Amino acid sequence: MTPTTTTTTTEQTTLLELSGIWKRFPGVVALRDVDFTVRAGEVHALLGENGAGKSTLMAVAGGVIPPDQGTITLGTETVDKLTPDAAQKHGLAIVHQHPALLPDLTVAENMAVGVPASVVAGRGDTWMREELDLLGCTAKLQDRVEELSVAQRALLELAKALALRPRILILDEPTAALGANMVERVFEAVRAAAARNAAVVYISHRLPEIRQIADRVTVMRDGAVQATNEIDSVSDDDLLRLIVGRPVSATFPPKSQQLNGRPPVLTVKSLSGDLFEDVDLTVQPSEIVGLAGIAGNGQSEFLRALAGLESASGEARLGNRELKLGRPAAARTAGIAYLPADRHNEGLLMSLSVRENASLSALPRYATRGLVDRRREAAAVTEQRKALDIRTTSIETEVATLSGGNQQKVVLARALLAEPTLVLAEEPTQGVDAGAHIEIYRILRQIADRGIPVVVLSSDGLELEGLCDRVLVFSRGQVVGELSGDELTEENIGRTIVTATSHRRPEERLEAALDEARASEPLIARVRRFAKGDYAPSLILAAVIVLLALYTWSDNERFLAEFNLTSLMTLLAALAFISFGQLIVIMTAGIDLSVGPLAGLLVVIASFFVLDDKGTGTVILGFVLMFGAALAVGLINGSFIRYGRFTPVAATLATYIALQGISLLLRSEQGGFIRTDVVNAITTKVGTVPVAFLVAVGLAIVLEVCLRWTKWGLSLRGVGSREQAAHRLGVRVNREILLAYVACSVLTFLGAVMLMAQLGVGDPTQGVTFTLSSVTAVVLGGASLFGGRGSFIGALLGAALITEIINAMTFLELSQAWQFWFLGILTLVAATIYTQARRLGLRAA
């Protein structure tokens, strides 16, 4: 990076300047010769439709995406080859629209990864709680991010950025998932940052927010800047015209005029759940009913209960049909279409196409004898694409490439193709631009005009006022107000919320239940946290190891004899070392199938050098060549995967085949007896305990400590948890993954040394079983094959159980087949237990 000095002559110091920025993606020009500046002490709003280029421009400014042309100036330095890590060092922080969080890590660990230790030196760990409290984030530091609500994740993302005390702060839709009470806390934090003379870029689709917080505003459309103005010198109509490229006659469509006296389609009586109680609701055909309230007051849970996604008691009828509560499949069968607030995690299958996402709920309509008629399916999706104006080049386009507004339209298309009798929409315009707002309002009103009732949950009072025929206000889990007609205004919605929460109290029986829950919460919370944590599998494994040992000993007392225990610990060391390496790779969401043949090849190499008739220099050379071969294999695997873009399975399977071939080429059969004094040194014991076993245990502890409390461990887990987010946080993803494969091969070298001592001879076929065994040990230890989760203690115990099973089969006089059956069954049972425990923990959270 070679910075060059530039000068600025504006009234205020310019801290961020983007000049002549171009960015092209295949088939799309995302940015066209963009100039953009932000001054110290100002809040500069950036507006535009989804796909206008706003987020791409800020990704360029943050070093996430390199521009094709143009210059980036941070402060007084023009920076070439900007990376997220370099941008952070220049004082730039970004709050991404889709938070750059690592779901498998805790809140505290996410804060630690996102904020360098140098920034918070001397503040201990209290700074994390202080930063979260500043924004009203109630998440516990020990909670995993995957357990948090969308709003809490947004606040955590903002807290990380503000903790950096940045000179340049970029906020991409920071309030999209927040209620009105949280928004004001965010505004206070933004104003405080500007008061510290930071330059703030504020991206939002909510014009009232822009009026409230911004000093200047820039509008983008089709990748180019349309205009930049002082906020007080431009009207909302002018801004909308610049955003959508045409005059906008009305934001909200006319409301229904056909509601009086019509029998209800949806009838809800005394519906109660964990966070709501005794809710009554009726919805007529063609009616749009809104749900309002501060986030966390039960309205979201009520809506999800109607969709069958939350357990509830009471009565709900759709037409003449009674709804089976707590069963999403039954809700869909009844004709309920649910549009979730979190469209990325709950609403869409991001790797599938527009067609596949849109037709998912309606596939039975296009199928004959179980086979889908692709032409009918494509025709129906194409019709919806035109009706909803979904902007995509093809219905076969991957939905992840669409803008937020068009993704939301795909969710709506799926609902319409399912021919629903009721539509439930939670935050339907969250994270979409002003133009898409208008389109979505039009679509929802068209749905209602067909006689299909719509229930909308929104944190935007103006949206509820303009769109809905009637609004129910929630507070502390109950409906405390109903507004319709002329009473239905944003002001009255806000007033009902405030006055209700100031005086309403739960019923006595609910209060008693809450008191009981609070009293027992600490113990329950600890048990739940442990059950869904990384160490619960270790406890289960330890219990199984003890029980199997006792059972085998009861059948054959020689199992616990000193000689057998020593042999067990020696055998365990080899598998443990290789399993540690496998776990490091699996932590990155990869896998190394080549560890078995690599261990075998290293023993074959040793069989040519570590011999009784060879001198000390030759023996040392043999170990050097073994280590060098392991290092080379790790580099080859990592390079193929990160730079050759091979999948981990393909790359390491190719290496597996190549290594096994080389081993057989070097030795077609057993040969080359390993030097006796070397074997004796490797199998040295302290009493009855092999030194190698003690080394394996010590290494497991050291690696576990590093995994939990060092930058390396957090980065490794972060890459596997969510690679894109780790990159945005400044983690050098390519380096971390390359080093993971190198570390795996180096640890396999240690395992090969133990295998060499156990075999005592070069054998090209003996190592291959370690591939399956190491993966099994890691899975038994509780690691996730999707990355980000695992424990070296668990891997050690997994390896111990496998070694014990193999040994116990002999003492129990069972065939070798039992060894594979028992391991397979145990792996399936363990995976099921771990998965269910984590799911139950997530539901309880």
Side-chain angles (χ1 to χ4, degrees), residues 48 54 170 280 301 307 376 453 463 467 472 528 530 548 617 664:
K54 310 181 302 299
I170 298 173
D280 295 333
E301 289 74 17
R376 289 173 57 206
E463 179 171 275
L467 178 64
L472 275 61
R528 285 173 177 165
F530 182 78
L548 179 59
L664 291 169

Side-chain angles (χ1 to χ4, degrees), residues 28 353-355 381-382 384-386 388-403 406-407 409-410:
V28 177
S353 68
V354 171
R355 172 185 56 79
V381 174
T382 300
Q384 287 299 323
R385 171 193 168 195
K386 293 176 180 176
L388 303 183
D389 191 25
I390 300 174
R391 299 178 187 177
T392 175
T393 55
S394 167
I395 61 172
E396 301 302 327
T397 301
E398 188 176 298
V399 78
T401 64
L402 270 59
S403 67
N406 285 302
Q407 288 175 348
K409 290 179 184 178
V410 173

Side-chain angles (χ1 to χ4, degrees), residues 647-664:
T647 64
V649 170
T652 59
L653 181 59
T655 308
Y656 177 112
I657 296 169
L659 293 177
Q660 190 60 29
I662 294 171
S663 294
L664 291 169

Side-chain angles (χ1 to χ4, degrees), residues 426-441:
E426 184 171 359
E427 301 289 359
T429 60
Q430 180 174 286
V432 303
D433 58 73
H437 272 68
I438 297 169
E439 289 294 311
I440 291 171
Y441 296 150

Side-chain angles (χ1 to χ4, degrees), residues 294-331:
I294 295 172
N297 276 267
Q299 63 270 34
S300 177
E301 289 74 17
F302 170 72
L303 194 73
R304 292 174 67 85
L306 291 178
L309 299 172
E310 299 275 348
S311 58
S313 61
E315 181 182 347
R317 302 188 70 86
L318 191 58
N320 296 321
R321 185 172 190 166
E322 184 175 351
L323 294 177
K324 297 177 180 179
L325 301 172
R327 296 172 60 179

Side-chain angles (χ1 to χ4, degrees), residues 10 31 113 193 203 211 252 270 363 367 379 419 428 430 639 748 750 817:
T10 58
L31 297 173
V113 172
I203 302 175
R211 289 283 175 201
F252 298 102
S270 300
L363 286 179
E419 296 183 346
Q430 180 174 286
S639 297
T748 300
L750 295 179

Side-chain angles (χ1 to χ4, degrees), residues 522-539:
L523 178 60
I524 293 174
R526 285 195 295 269
V527 171
R528 285 173 177 165
R529 186 171 291 114
F530 182 78
K532 61 194 175 187
D534 291 334
Y535 294 118
S538 297
L539 186 64

Side-chain angles (χ1 to χ4, degrees), residues 144-268:
R144 289 189 191 272
V145 165
E146 65 181 358
E147 304 165 14
L148 304 182
S149 67
V150 176
Q152 293 295 314
R153 292 178 196 176
L155 292 175
L156 171 58
E157 173 81 344
L158 185 57
K160 285 192 307 169
L162 292 173
L164 294 168
R165 299 296 183 266
R167 297 174 64 213
I168 304 164
L169 177 62
I170 298 173
L171 305 174
D172 193 351
E173 294 287 350
T175 63
L178 305 181
N181 59 322
M182 298 178 183
V183 170
E184 188 52 43
R185 299 286 287 269
V186 173
F187 283 180
E188 290 174 6
V190 171
R191 293 187 186 104
R196 291 194 299 268
N197 232 23
V200 181
V201 180
Y202 192 94
I203 302 175
S204 177
H205 294 126
R206 298 179 175 180
L207 293 183
E209 285 189 7
I210 298 301
R211 289 283 175 201
Q212 199 172 344
I213 196 69
D215 301 302
R216 282 197 300 160
V217 58
T218 292
V219 177
M220 293 185 66
R221 187 173 71 248
D222 297 330
V225 170
Q226 301 300 309
T228 297
N229 299 95
E230 298 295 324
I231 191 65
D232 294 333
S233 67
V234 60
S235 69
D236 286 354
D237 287 343
D238 290 336
L239 289 175
L240 278 172
R241 190 178 298 109
L242 288 168
I243 289 169
V244 302
R246 64 185 187 278
V248 178
S249 56
T251 301
F252 298 102
K255 296 185 179 183
S256 177
Q257 304 298 318
Q258 309 172 20
L259 299 180
N260 295 331
R262 302 178 72 184
V265 174
L266 174 67
T267 304
V268 177

